[in-house]
Amino acid sequence: MAVYDADPATRARALDTLAAYAEDLNRVGLTVPADSLTRVRIATTLADCVAHADYVQESVPEKLDLKRALFSELDALVPAGAILASSTSALGMSRFTAELSGRGRCVIVHPATPPHMMPVVEIVPSPWTDTAVVERIFALMESLGQTPVLVNKEIAGFAMNRMQGALLIEMFRLIEAGVISADHADKLISDGFGLRWAFLGPLEGVDLNAPGGIADYLHRFGHMFDDMAMEVREPGPVLTPDLIARLDAEMRAKLPLEGIEAKRSWRNRRMAALQKMRRDMQSEA
Amino acid sequence: MAVYDADPATRARALDTLAAYAEDLNRVGLTVPADSLTRVRIATTLADCVAHADYVQESVPEKLDLKRALFSELDALVPAGAILASSTSALGMSRFTAELSGRGRCVIVHPATPPHMMPVVEIVPSPWTDTAVVERIFALMESLGQTPVLVNKEIAGFAMNRMQGALLIEMFRLIEAGVISADHADKLISDGFGLRWAFLGPLEGVDLNAPGGIADYLHRFGHMFDDMAMEVREPGPVLTPDLIARLDAEMRAKLPLEGIEAKRSWRNRRMAALQKMRRDMQSEA
């Protein structure tokens, strides 16, 4: 496996970053095979990196021109039959692969943050992505222990960020309207639904909350969602400078900026322990 | 502590239900004090149940007339100075306590499902709830290991169900539009964000995903949320009979109705183990 970045300093750090990720997993007994790191080669040119690839994962910044130029270069450099995947979370692939002769092998494979702790990956084919390519991606991701999900249309935000976005937008509105503080809104998830959603999706979650499952639940309580969806609201931005300043003040009072790196490690230790627990309880069952 | 239900069969089951909850917790080492169950008395009349109470938690069905009649009765029966709390998730308290002489001691204390696994409780005062009552509720809930959050306005769905609702509505729309299957939408949470949200609220989560915290994150990526909030959409119900039928078919194919009870136990075992893990990791830190 080869890694390349145009910036030499980033290339120099890459193995340390991977070693830290492996340590997160090893610490809780999610053992990373000993040769995983020695199998990674840092390439010094893009051509050298991808010359013998059968799978390429692009992760450059979210700039359309950059992606378009890079995919054009990759399509020329990478052996026929190899898959060209993009990590983009925002740019539909049809916007930067339309002109490529190998456009059928291009597909979005969008991971979540932090990627070594989040199994889910969003697979978003363009209108011209080969079905066989999508099938190979699913098999590859599953063989790696990831959870691929299929997004059938290149809509803005795809599905992952739209779902997170819908929740955050409602939180922004409640905070803006003075209904709840940012801290208490967070706790409604982290000491509430998040404990359920660590094992069950939201639909599976409500499915268990009525004797007749989700249909029964929606017949009993669905009016609550319809009422919300029927609220009349002028479309408009939610993130006013004032709201951002309030969120910033409230978050920084809880966690000063210099504590963010330590809190990321705190998060990673807990997410790794949760993954281990899920795996152990699965093998018990 | 006394429990009362108008239905004798429900009263007869109450101690078994509590014993099963205690067993969920004991199994993973979240030890319930041995005398917890023996301290619970099943009362055979409402008057007997509340005669010496200093805290009453009402949990009758979500029917306004029922709540209004019961709170009127409780206000007469319960000693002055005791708090009258409602479990309602839908009915603002000002709709059924306005006429009571003791309306200042009435407050909504809304737990989440399953209540013995979800620390969060939503505290929703009415315009006339005494500030001192809200303070006592916060102290009481914290002493019990619960996480009280304050909702300042009696809006429909309060904050908890509005936040869940916003996420579910987006999922319903994506599934309805053929963007994603119900199963894959669920996995975006249960194998994705849910793993983060088991420890961190959504705002704390994004706060860690940019070097400068949430303000930095929103300046970089906030346009995504503003774009979503600016989408023009006619207000209207989301739950068509066709969508409910599709959700029901997909959920029942994964889990037949007769498996729901076992899946609830599966969920409770995992939620209890997660609570234990959070507690252990907290005391390590």
Side-chain angles (χ1 to χ4, degrees), chain A residues 183-199:
Chain A
D183 180 49
H184 281 189
D186 262 349
K187 286 202 166 86
L188 278 175
I189 303 295
S190 62
D191 280 355
F193 292 117
L195 305 175
R196 226 160 71 180
W197 294 340
F199 308 101

Side-chain angles (χ1 to χ4, degrees), chain B residues 225-237:
Chain B
F225 307 124
D226 277 338
D227 287 349
M228 265 187 80
M230 290 169 73
E231 289 170 2
V232 177
R233 187 180 347 240
E234 285 299 304

Side-chain angles (χ1 to χ4, degrees), chain A residues 147 191 207-208 264 278, chain B residues 147 191 207-208 252 264 278:
Chain A
T147 305
D191 280 355
D207 191 47
L208 299 186
R264 275 193 207 113
R278 283 169 30 129
Chain B
T147 304
D191 279 356
D207 190 48
L208 299 184
R252 295 288 69 80
R264 276 194 207 114
R278 284 170 30 131

Side-chain angles (χ1 to χ4, degrees), chain A residues 56-241:
Chain A
V56 175
Q57 179 88 32
E58 163 274 315
S59 304
V60 300
E62 299 281 25
K63 298 201 169 82
L64 190 55
D65 289 349
L66 202 59
K67 302 255 184 207
R68 189 176 285 129
L70 181 57
F71 268 79
S72 175
E73 202 176 350
L74 285 172
D75 197 32
L77 288 171
V78 178
I83 291 175
L84 304 184
S86 173
S87 302
T88 183
S89 66
L91 302 168
M93 179 145 250
S94 58
R95 297 171 67 188
F96 55 92
T97 62
E99 314 297 325
L100 303 182
S101 63
R103 66 185 195 168
R105 60 172 169 162
C106 297
V107 63
I108 290 171
V109 177
H110 170 225
T113 304
H116 62 309
M117 297 293 176
M118 298 272 249
V120 87
V121 281
E122 225 176 3
I123 314 301
V124 193
S126 74
W128 44 75
T129 302
D130 294 340
T131 310
V133 165
V134 175
E135 284 164 7
R136 278 168 61 199
I137 290 286
F138 264 74
L140 174 64
M141 290 296 139
E142 282 166 0
S143 76
L144 296 170
Q146 299 298 108
T147 305
V149 305
L150 181 63
V151 177
N152 292 308
K153 299 182 188 177
E154 279 186 337
I155 56 171
F158 310 147
M160 192 192 296
N161 277 321
R162 287 192 74 85
M163 283 166 50
Q164 178 185 220
L167 175 58
L168 283 170
I169 289 169
E170 185 63 26
M171 292 172 77
F172 296 148
R173 288 185 170 139
L174 291 170
I175 295 162
E176 172 75 35
V179 172
I180 194 166
S181 70
D183 180 49
H184 281 189
D186 262 349
K187 286 202 166 86
L188 278 175
I189 303 295
S190 62
D191 280 355
F193 292 117
L195 305 175
R196 226 160 71 180
W197 294 340
F199 308 101
L200 289 169
L203 299 170
E204 291 175 311
V206 300
D207 191 47
L208 299 186
N209 282 349
I214 195 164
D216 185 17
Y217 181 92
L218 293 175
H219 286 128
R220 288 171 195 241
F221 305 112
H223 59 87
M224 192 166 63
F225 309 123
D226 277 338
D227 288 347
M228 266 187 79
M230 288 169 75
E231 288 170 5
V232 177
R233 184 173 359 232
E234 284 300 303
V238 283
L239 290 167
T240 61

Side-chain angles (χ1 to χ4, degrees), chain B residues 129-180:
Chain B
T129 302
D130 294 340
T131 311
V133 164
V134 175
E135 284 163 8
R136 279 168 61 197
I137 290 287
F138 265 73
L140 173 64
M141 290 296 139
E142 283 165 358
S143 75
L144 296 170
Q146 299 297 109
T147 304
V149 306
L150 182 63
V151 177
N152 292 306
K153 298 181 189 179
E154 280 186 337
I155 57 172
F158 309 147
M160 192 192 295
N161 276 322
R162 286 193 74 85
M163 285 166 51
Q164 179 186 220
L167 175 57
L168 283 170
I169 288 169
E170 185 62 26
M171 293 172 77
F172 295 148
R173 286 186 171 137
L174 291 169
I175 294 163
E176 172 76 36
V179 172
I180 195 166

Side-chain angles (χ1 to χ4, degrees), chain B residues 46 58 60-61 63-77 84 91 95-100:
Chain B
L46 179 61
E58 162 276 313
V60 300
K63 299 203 169 78
L64 190 55
D65 289 350
L66 203 57
K67 303 254 186 208
R68 189 176 285 131
L70 180 57
F71 268 78
S72 174
E73 201 175 352
L74 286 173
D75 197 32
L77 288 171
L84 304 185
L91 302 168
R95 297 171 69 190
F96 56 92
T97 62
E99 314 298 325
L100 303 182

